[in-house]
Amino acid sequence: MKTLRMTLCAAALSVACAANAAEVEVLHWWTSGGEAKAAGELKKMLEAKGDKWKDFAVAGGAGDNAMTALKTRVVSGNPPAAAQVKGPAIQEWGDQGVLANIDDVANKNGWNKILPPVVQNVMKYQGHYVAAPVNVHRVNWLWINPDLLKKANAKVPTTWDEFFKTADALQKAGIQPVAYGGQPWQDATVFEDVVLGVGGAPFFKKAFVDLDQTTLKSPTMVKALETYKKIKPYTDKNAAGRDWNLATAMVINGKAGMQFMGDWAKGEFLAAGKVPGKDFVCAPTPGTAKSYTFNIDSFIFFKLKNADAVKGQNDLAETIVSPEFQQVFNLNKGSIPVRLGADMSKFDDCGKQSAKDFEADNKAGTLVPSFAHGMAMHSATQGAMYDVISQFWNDDNMTAQQAAAKLAAAAKVN
């Protein structure tokens, strides 16, 4: 029986016999619509290499809930093979001494040649690759239902003055102007859109990358806060606590005219069978046509003792950056490939515009990391900023000047 089994294993076309397949436990928060479909593609490609995908999906909170679950597992000495982690948080996990070095995979596949330097730096800890990048998301998108704009005789806004005119027109036509999800990370997403549009990329960098005190307390920041709060009357009374994809569904189903959200929202439109340019419009948020807030999804890899599991882990890293996965994943997710020179021919106009702008803004120096999505600052600082922004949004008695001072204080939290 043993000889027969060995013969069958040797004859199998798969990379590994099912009995010896490496189980690769993957923590992620891709649980909705286009995201879930994209995660399914990664599972399919990994299992084609003979490995076994073990799903560790944690929904909600833009990954906050997932990070809580991950910390519990790592502290107990039982980490998953890989986890969806990004930005400065990669360095924080590196400091804990728990990440695996995947330089062999990176060197074999030429990552230093195909990944932009800004991306390489994020994926490395002390000069060694410990993470694999999945994509590039543009955060500063405004998603619009064109049929509702037509009914209101309104146009796609390119400035904040135009935005409020469009919102007024929608409201007067009996249409909910803005689909909004009142959760801290969503509050921060909309707020950073406003800051970028009001202050520009250099101001944004000083505020949220350099954490410059003068900038955070400046009249420009006060103006951005006032502009942000001015959006609230155009949201609905049920906005508090609403998940982002439910807000997107309001635009998809004709219940609201516009939503501020990163390009993962496009995956929801596509999953609903909607056609870009016809059923929905993607436009840079007001005042941000020549700047770009980026959010890069990535997976970190933990040190494992089991050799089969390590093999599966390396297969996963290789698969994530492969041209095939980059193409199919990003077509489903709404984002763009992280690889330089990627074939964009199958992407829709929103994807092509995102890729074009990413390259242009990279050259112009107007490519900025999204602080709302964990790309710009320490997680504790980000959390303190979240608290201030949500408090300002929900407290009608707090002035913009008070909020600016609180943002400056939050920048000192680490």
Side-chain angles (χ1 to χ4, degrees):
M1 181 63 74
K2 183 177 180 182
T3 302
L4 176 60
R5 182 164 175 247
M6 289 174 66
T7 302
L8 289 171
C9 279
L13 294 175
S14 60
V15 175
C17 192
N20 298 318
E23 184 173 81
V24 185
E25 186 176 18
V26 184
L27 181 148
H28 64 91
W29 59 86
W30 292 327
T31 58
S32 170
E35 293 184 317
K37 189 175 180 182
E41 292 294 339
L42 181 56
K43 175 183 178 181
K44 188 190 303 180
M45 289 188 180
L46 179 69
E47 294 191 337
K49 289 178 176 284
D51 304 304
K52 184 180 179 183
W53 172 285
K54 183 178 180 182
D55 205 45
F56 185 3
V58 182
D64 291 344
N65 297 341
M67 289 306 96
T68 300
L70 179 60
K71 287 172 185 174
T72 301
R73 286 284 300 273
V74 175
V75 168
S76 69
N78 182 33
Q84 189 180 350
V85 172
K86 63 190 179 184
I90 295 173
Q91 305 303 311
E92 293 171 27
W93 281 106
D95 289 341
Q96 301 301 314
V98 294
L99 298 185
N101 180 325
I102 57 169
D103 281 345
D104 286 348
V105 176
N107 292 335
K108 175 187 172 186
N109 293 278
W111 288 8
N112 284 339
K113 294 181 180 179
I114 61 172
L115 299 179
V118 66
V119 177
Q120 292 179 36
N121 293 338
V122 176
M123 298 302 123
K124 291 178 180 178
Y125 177 73
Q126 295 183 349
H128 298 286
Y129 280 102
V130 294
V134 177
N135 55 5
V136 176
H137 278 295
R138 186 180 199 169
V139 180
N140 58 312
W141 281 121
L142 183 65
W143 303 94
I144 300 168
N145 185 313
D147 289 341
L148 296 185
L149 254 61
K150 189 175 180 180
K151 285 181 183 178
N153 195 28
K155 67 174 186 176
V156 175
T158 60
T159 66
W160 283 106
D161 285 343
E162 289 178 0
F163 172 82
F164 291 114
K165 286 179 182 177
T166 294
D168 280 335
L170 287 166
Q171 206 165 54
K172 286 175 183 175
I175 299 165
Q176 180 64 50
V178 178
Y180 194 95
Q183 296 175 345
W185 73 270
Q186 294 189 69
D187 292 339
T189 297
V190 179
F191 177 62
E192 76 172 11
D193 287 339
V194 177
V195 173
L196 188 63
V198 170
F203 179 85
F204 187 101
K205 286 180 183 177
K206 279 188 178 181
F208 302 126
V209 179
D210 300 338
L211 301 176
D212 180 71
Q213 289 289 300
T214 302
T215 302
L216 288 165
K217 292 184 283 190
S218 69
T220 301
M221 185 60 75
V222 171
K223 183 181 178 182
L225 283 157
E226 290 171 344
T227 304
Y228 170 59
K229 193 65 172 279
K230 194 177 173 183
I231 297 170
K232 192 171 184 181
Y234 300 103
T235 64
D236 67 300
K237 67 180 188 303
N238 297 317
R242 178 184 287 134
D243 286 337
W244 71 270
N245 54 305
L246 298 182
T248 305
M250 291 171 67
V251 180
I252 293 172
N253 298 324
K255 301 291 177 63
M258 303 177 285
Q259 181 194 19
F260 296 92
M261 191 51 60
D263 56 17
W264 49 93
K266 186 178 71 174
E268 300 296 302
F269 284 94
L270 298 180
K274 301 300 182 181
V275 179
K278 178 189 173 187
D279 302 314
F280 67 95
V281 171
C282 57
T285 53
T288 72
K290 294 186 177 181
S291 48
Y292 191 118
T293 40
F294 67 85
N295 175 22
I296 299 174
D297 285 317
S298 55
F299 282 89
I300 58 174
F301 299 89
F302 290 93
K303 291 178 180 176
L304 301 173
K305 296 177 182 177
N306 183 287
D308 284 337
V310 171
K311 180 261 179 192
Q313 193 177 54
N314 289 340
D315 285 346
L316 178 64
E318 187 172 66
T319 301
I320 286 171
V321 187
S322 69
E324 297 80 13
F325 176 70
Q326 288 279 315
Q327 178 98 175
V328 70
F329 177 89
N330 287 295
L331 283 169
N332 279 314
K333 186 78 158 54
S335 45
I336 59 173
V338 72
R339 297 173 64 101
L340 293 171
D343 179 8
M344 297 297 295
S345 61
K346 292 183 180 179
F347 286 77
D348 56 59
D349 289 346
C350 294
K352 288 175 181 174
Q353 186 65 46
S354 182
K356 180 182 175 182
D357 290 349
F358 182 75
E359 185 174 335
D361 289 313
N362 187 35
K363 291 178 180 177
T366 51
L367 195 63
V368 294
S370 167
F371 94 81
H373 293 272
M375 298 302 300
M377 61 185 69
H378 190 282
S379 57
T381 312
Q382 179 193 32
M385 292 248 181
Y386 272 16
D387 290 344
V388 174
I389 295 162
S390 293
Q391 184 183 2
F392 177 63
W393 179 262
N394 293 305
D395 185 351
D396 292 335
N397 295 317
M398 183 184 288
T399 67
Q401 288 81 1
Q402 290 172 327
K406 284 179 176 286
L407 282 175
K412 297 178 181 179
V413 176
N414 55 44

